[in-house]
């Protein structure tokens, strides 16, 4: 299956610079958001949306054609 991926901020470094944070990923059926994070080497706190809906469950299975956006989690105080 294939998903559309968009990375923002410093996370864009997980992809080649010429991609500008956008990629189409080929994944095995049943792959989860956690699988995507692992494949990209992202091991920090992030915010993820799937098809423009905030997704907190990193074990959510993805479907062919899903659009996944991953943002850095920012906090301050």
């Amino acid at each position: 299956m294939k998903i559309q991926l968009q990375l923002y901020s410093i996370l864009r470094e997980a992809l080649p610079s010429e991609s500008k944070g956008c990629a189409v990923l080929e994944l095995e059926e049943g792959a989860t958001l956690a699988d995507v994070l692992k494949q990209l080497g992202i091991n920090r706190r992030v915010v993820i949306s799937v098809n423009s809906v905030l997704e907190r469950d990193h074990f959510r299975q993805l479907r062919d054609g899903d659009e996944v956006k991953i943002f850095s989690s920012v906090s301050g105080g």
Side-chain angles (χ1 to χ4, degrees), residues 24-57:
V24 174
L25 286 186
E26 182 92 30
L27 303 169
E28 292 186 21
E29 290 296 322
T32 65
L33 290 170
D35 295 327
V36 171
L37 294 174
K38 183 176 180 180
Q39 181 176 333
L40 296 171
I42 297 173
N43 56 6
R44 61 186 338 175
R45 180 171 276 166
V46 294
V47 176
I48 303 174
S49 74
V50 178
N51 303 322
S52 300
V53 177
L54 182 64
E55 182 59 65
R56 296 174 195 261
D57 181 7

Side-chain angles (χ1 to χ4, degrees), residues 3-76:
I3 65 162
Q4 299 289 324
L5 177 68
Q6 176 72 49
L7 301 179
Y8 293 89
S9 184
I10 196 164
L11 298 175
R12 292 171 69 160
E13 294 176 3
L15 295 173
S17 61
E18 63 272 8
S19 73
K20 297 183 181 180
C22 295
V24 174
L25 286 186
E26 182 92 30
L27 303 169
E28 292 186 21
E29 290 296 322
T32 65
L33 290 170
D35 295 327
V36 171
L37 294 174
K38 183 176 180 180
Q39 181 176 333
L40 296 171
I42 297 173
N43 56 6
R44 61 186 338 175
R45 180 171 276 166
V46 294
V47 176
I48 303 174
S49 74
V50 178
N51 303 322
S52 300
V53 177
L54 182 64
E55 182 59 65
R56 296 174 195 261
D57 181 7
H58 288 191
F59 295 101
R60 176 198 195 276
Q61 288 189 350
L62 297 168
R63 296 185 191 147
D64 188 51
D66 277 347
E67 182 180 275
V68 176
K69 296 181 180 181
I70 306 176
F71 306 85
S72 290
S73 180
V74 179
S75 62

